[in-house]
Amino acid sequence: MNFELKPLSLSAAAAEKTDLLVILVPEAFKPGQDALSQVLAQALKAEDFSPKAGRLLSTYRQAGVGTPRVVYAGAGDGTARPVRQAVQAALSSVRPESVKRLTLVFAAAEVSAAAVRAAVQAAADGSYVYTSTKPRAEARVLQKVTLGLAATPNAEQRAALAQATAAVAGIEFAKEWGNRPANHATPTDLAAAAKTLAGRGSGVQCEVLLPRDVAKLGMGSFMAVARGSEQELRFIVLRYQGAARTQAPVVLVGKGITFDTGGISIKPAAEMDEMKFDMCGAASVLGTFRALAELKPKINVVGLIPACENMPDGRALKPGDVVTSLSGQTIEVLNTDAEGRLILCDALTYAERFKPRAVIDIATLTGACVVALGAVRSGLFATDDTLANALQAAGDRAQDLCWRLPLDEDYAEGLKSNFADVANVAGRAGGAVTAAKFLQRFAGKFPWAHLDIAGTAWKSGSAKGATGRPVGLLLEYLLSQANHDAHQPTAKASVSNKAVAGKAVKAPAKAPVKVAAPRGKPSVTKKA
Ligand code: BES
Ligand code: MN
Ligand code: ZN
């Protein structure tokens, strides 16, 4: 699919050669003298159309308009969310197979970067079709999307188009792997998919660890989950280098359970097919790397994907078994269906070797998170407020929302075990939080965040399919970090007492320094 951004007034739009012309009409719309504006002004006056988000008015072979099909779509206040709703509604009002070329015209004087991105992503989302295991299905028909602006696109809008195009490629990569059935997306298949992202000037390198490598490392917890399956596990290591080698990377860890039967603690049959989506965390990491390879931001990123199946078998892990994780902590497996945390804990320990600036794991981890937040927001947990705020803000900007949940120590109470350092489940209450508390034990050495995407990674029912979330959030976060780094003063320039904008800036009072306490003693804060 091809996206372009160009100046296109409403009078010029009337002559555009396209299959569907969508006019995005904000509440602040001011009609001109052209044919489209005139019809719109009359419809608004007669209240047959409203600029409220998602409201539509369709016309056919309108006088003075070259293209037969015009849809006026209410775009509310013109911000990202109503623009997305408008494009969504307009696309679902026509037969998708009838639109090869789509023109979206912003009937507004000013269009934000976020609105440009929202329009591109909604057009991609509304035209996506899965075909990999449907050889007779018709592929996506939409080929070309033109975004029309009142004025010549500025640098910010052009950058927004580039970002959105890369995000779409990443989201669709994640959707593709999420949607594939488990017999077409084994751990070996996922590793092969990861390898396609590397090389050829992509800035991405990929290394795949085999069962013997993982055994040698001592990932006893990850190996225990994989034991019950005929499919061999894989541990995928991706690296994107966009900044100096010395710069600490952000590490993304994606849960890659290619099918979750629950293991010996087997799940009920209803909707079990949806557990093919249990690798959507992994797919979001792959999708994010796909986008990074296209955009090449100045940042270093590592992707870690433990991939295996969770199956019942004569060799499978049993309730009550105690396994030894890579960290050395022993784990009593009280429920083999709480397998995500068992593979993620070893990946989190492995992440330490990269001396990361932050580690973010992404996992379809708990049904409890679906109960808590539904399909609107992903669950966010973090040990670091700056990281939490940056992720939540990135989600807001990308319209890929998340919501922070707590990590109070009291929630870890139920994870105590009589037979190991920790149990893999606590009671039913607060299940999303207790899962996060389990992971936190393996993330002590770096700023850490956990995104529980159990409710947001895929849709059920007639719209069953992967959403590609949270690729949009992750990409937005990484770009904001790269941008932030670029504007950081160098060590030399940040010496205090220098003049800023003509004003003398006083050196700040020396910050208190935290002094590490010897084992067992509380730490103390000292004035330096
Ligand atoms: N993959 C599931 C979580 C899940 C369930 C995601 C339903 C989306 C929809 C995970 O491995 C799991 O089975 N979690 C258990 C944990 C429980 C045994 C503590 C759950 O949520 O029921
Ligand atoms: Mn499970
Ligand atoms: Zn699972």
Side-chain angles (χ1 to χ4, degrees), residues 255 257 260 278 339 364:
K255 172 178 173 183
I257 293 289
D260 182 11
D278 212 17
E339 85 298 339
T364 48

Side-chain angles (χ1 to χ4, degrees), residues 128 130 133 171-186 190 254-261 267 271-285 306 308-310 339-340 343 362-366 370 451-470:
Y128 171 84
Y130 170 80
T133 47
I171 288 166
E172 296 196 348
F173 199 85
K175 283 187 183 180
E176 169 65 21
W177 284 97
N179 284 334
R180 286 198 189 196
N183 64 331
H184 294 263
T186 63
L190 275 194
K255 172 178 173 183
I257 293 289
T258 59
F259 197 79
D260 182 11
T261 64
K267 287 180 181 295
E271 281 115 53
M272 205 210 271
D273 66 287
E274 295 191 6
M275 284 298 117
K276 72 172 184 177
F277 294 117
D278 212 17
M279 35 56 72
C280 282
S284 77
V285 173
C308 69
E309 286 183 338
N310 185 24
E339 85 298 339
I343 70 168
I362 308 102
T364 48
L365 203 64
T366 65
V370 190
L451 286 164
D452 192 332
I453 58 167
T456 53
W458 77 89
K459 291 180 185 164
S460 306
S462 63
K464 194 190 285 183
T467 60
R469 290 175 69 180

